[in-house]
Amino acid sequence: RAGRSVAALSIASPLGKSKRPAIWVQARQHAWESGSSWVARGLIEWLGSDDTAAKRLIEIADLMIVPIMDVDNVASGNGGKEADPRDHNRDWAEQPVYPEVAAAQRYLLDWAEQERLALFVDLHNPAPQDKRPFFFCGPPELLSEVGLKNRSLFLTFALRHIRDPLRVEEKPRITGANYHPLWRQISGQWVNEHGNPDTVAVCLETAWNTPHSTTAGYRTVGRQLGASIENYLSQVASHAQQVPLSN
């Protein structure tokens, strides 16, 4: 809205129109949740490393990573949450207030139309009393059978990988009508309603009020998130190859 650019890292197939699964990761829809940007940085650094799983993920998927969504409030020093004219994470409507939200929606809708929107992860920091990272997810009854199965599988791998020093909570928290009156305009729920039946959309809240909530701790969570994503996609791809084609 103030004319600033919103930067993103795109890792995509060089072969033109891709058929590979697509992954969108974004951070800092709330400007003051700076730890989420460091989680995104950790993911990016892992993708550029010599880690075998990182190389494999780049080989099998297209990725888009946005380290800062609310660039205006980051630049001005404002908090962003519940801000006027609208909180970024309540702006996922048919007519968004923020150009960057509208742009993200266009990318995601294109991927969904191509039937390859595999995973959406929104990175946040939670309330001060939350001492462990956790996932926010939409109501399970609004997902397809395959969508619910895929989400459970991804969360299983995340629980396996996101461990020390910031161990993710065992159970996700469910958001819905009792969370916020604009809950259907929250990014993850918008993706649930506009993605493919097998799309997984989650919000990862990384605790900021702990001794391990440092840039190093956040970057570790980012690397662990990357390993979770690779493990999940490899498992889904392996299962798909085992399913025989119908006549």
Side-chain angles (χ1 to χ4, degrees), residues 41-49 51 53-54 57 222-223 226-227 230:
R41 174 169 173 167
L43 171 61
I44 291 169
E45 290 172 338
W46 177 80
L47 288 167
S49 74
D51 189 285
L57 180 57
R223 294 193 294 272
E230 188 281 325

Side-chain angles (χ1 to χ4, degrees), residues 106-119:
R106 288 194 294 271
Y107 274 101
L108 293 163
L109 288 172
D110 283 347
W111 285 349
E113 185 177 354
Q114 298 163 19
E115 298 183 343
R116 64 190 191 98
L117 176 52
L119 179 64

Side-chain angles (χ1 to χ4, degrees), residues 9-84:
L9 172 66
S10 173
I11 302 174
S13 168
L15 302 177
K17 192 170 183 180
S18 177
K19 296 294 184 181
R20 306 194 306 179
I23 302 162
W24 182 283
V25 181
Q26 63 181 31
R28 217 159 170 182
Q29 286 208 89
H30 297 139
W32 58 12
E33 295 174 9
S34 58
S36 64
S37 289
W38 286 96
V39 174
R41 174 169 173 167
L43 171 61
I44 291 169
E45 290 172 338
W46 177 80
L47 288 167
S49 74
D50 291 329
D51 189 285
T52 302
K55 292 181 177 180
R56 187 162 51 242
L57 180 57
I58 290 174
E59 289 174 356
I60 65 174
D62 292 343
L63 298 99
M64 186 78 78
I65 304 172
V66 188
I68 300 176
M69 281 287 285
D70 187 3
V71 293
D72 287 344
N73 280 320
V74 167
S76 64
N78 291 305
K81 190 164 186 177
E82 304 297 352
D84 293 330

Side-chain angles (χ1 to χ4, degrees), residues 33 81 125-131 134 173 205 207-209:
E33 295 174 9
K81 190 164 186 177
N125 296 125
Q129 68 269 19
D130 293 308
K131 302 302 182 181
F134 61 90
R173 304 186 191 183
E205 301 264 3
W208 59 268
N209 195 22

Side-chain angles (χ1 to χ4, degrees), residues 203-215:
C203 168
L204 174 57
E205 301 264 3
T206 304
W208 59 268
N209 195 22
T210 80
H212 299 294
S213 302
T214 62
T215 56

